[in-house]
Amino acid sequence: EVQLVESGGGLVQPGGSLRLSCVASGFTFSDYAMSWVRQAPGKGPEWVSAISGTGAYTSYVDSVKGRFTISRDSSKNTLFLQMRSLRAEDTALYYCARHYSGSYYDLWFDPWGHGTLVIVSS
Amino acid sequence: DIQMTQSPSSLSASVGDRVAITCRASQSISRSLNWYQQKPGKAPKLLIYAASSLLSGVPSRFSGSGSGTDFTLTINSLQPDDFATYYCQQSSAGPTFGGGTKVEIK
C-alpha cells in the first residue's frame, strides 16, 4: 500500500523557519516526482513546489520562491520542504503528494499524505 | 497565473440525482484539467485527470468532459459516499486549483 506520512509542522513566529518531512513507502520512491501542496483553513488547495524523481529538477509557486527549498533523499525515501522567512499567509495544512504518472511534468497528484499543520503567528 | 473558477460553490442534491459541476479556466489549457474529491478532515483524492481519464478504482458514475477553457464533472446517480467537496485543478502551467464545490444532501 502506498503511504505518505508528513511531519515537522508546528507553531512558528513570523520570520522563522521550519523543515517539513514526508516519508514514503509502498513504491519505488526514486521513480516518482513529488510535490508539496498546502491548504489554508476553509480554502482550496495551493500547489507549492515539485521535484523530479532524481531531484535534478525543481519548481515553486511564485509566492515561496527564494524562501522555500524542496529536496529529497532517496536512500531514506523522504521528501523535504525547508521553509524560511515564514509569513502569516504561509499558515496551512501542508500535504506531500505523489505525481500520479511519476513524471515531473504531469502535475496531477495521487495519493496525498494526511498533512502537517504549519501555523505562523506571533 | 491561470485562474480556475468553479460553479456552483455549493449545491444540494438527493441520492440518485445527476449532478454537474463546471470549471472555467482564465485561458485555454487544452485538456490539462483534473478533478479531486475531498471529505472533511481528509486529503483530496484524484478522480479524473486529463479532463476525462477516470482513475483506476473510481466508480464509473463519475465522468469528466471539456477542453480549452470549459470543463464539467458529472456524477450520475449520486450516492451517499459522494457528498463531499470537489476541486478542479489545471496542470497546464504552474498548477492551480478552483475554489471548490460542496455537494450537500438535500
Side-chain angles (χ1 to χ4, degrees):
Chain A
E1 179 194 4
V2 174
Q3 275 201 312
L4 301 170
V5 179
E6 303 94 335
S7 61
L11 174 63
V12 61
Q13 292 189 337
S17 299
L18 275 179
R19 188 194 199 202
L20 306 184
S21 300
C22 169
V23 176
S25 60
F27 63 101
T28 302
F29 185 61
S30 58
D31 283 350
Y32 286 83
M34 301 290 294
S35 276
W36 288 98
V37 182
R38 66 186 179 184
Q39 189 169 26
K43 303 290 187 182
E46 179 187 33
W47 172 81
V48 173
S49 180
I51 187 167
S52 61
T54 63
Y57 301 101
T58 60
S59 52
Y60 301 89
V61 68
D62 285 348
S63 61
V64 309
K65 281 180 183 174
R67 300 189 300 122
F68 290 11
T69 303
I70 191 171
S71 62
R72 63 192 298 160
D73 183 341
S74 289
S75 69
K76 296 180 180 178
N77 285 357
T78 304
L79 175 72
F80 301 102
L81 186 68
Q82 178 68 54
M83 305 186 295
R84 299 183 174 89
S85 302
L86 282 160
R87 306 167 180 167
E89 55 264 35
D90 296 318
T91 294
L93 188 61
Y94 283 72
Y95 296 100
C96 68
R98 192 180 75 168
H99 289 213
Y100 178 70
S101 75
S103 169
Y104 173 73
Y105 299 103
D106 290 343
L107 292 155
W108 50 91
F109 315 114
D110 191 80
W112 303 41
H114 58 82
T116 187
L117 183 61
V118 173
I119 300 173
V120 184
S121 175
S122 54
Chain B
D1 290 3
I2 300 175
Q3 308 301 317
M4 306 302 295
T5 304
Q6 284 182 240
S7 60
S9 56
S10 66
L11 64 91
S12 295
S14 301
V15 172
D17 284 352
R18 183 171 185 259
V19 167
I21 298 168
T22 63
C23 181
R24 175 164 289 174
S26 59
Q27 65 189 69
S28 178
I29 57 170
S30 185
R31 291 177 60 79
S32 301
L33 192 284
N34 315 299
W35 290 98
Y36 297 83
Q37 177 193 68
Q38 186 175 32
K39 295 182 178 178
K42 301 293 187 181
K45 292 178 66 175
L46 181 66
L47 299 175
I48 289 169
Y49 62 96
S52 61
S53 295
L54 200 66
L55 207 71
S56 176
V58 173
S60 59
R61 62 182 178 271
F62 291 92
S63 64
S65 63
S67 65
T69 61
D70 294 316
F71 301 86
T72 302
L73 171 69
T74 302
I75 311 172
N76 284 304
S77 188
L78 198 66
Q79 297 301 299
D81 191 49
D82 301 337
F83 293 95
T85 299
Y86 293 85
Y87 293 98
C88 62
Q89 175 239 325
Q90 64 82 14
S91 48
S92 175
T96 49
F97 290 80
T101 296
K102 186 174 184 179
V103 177
E104 298 175 301
I105 301 173
K106 182 183 285 184

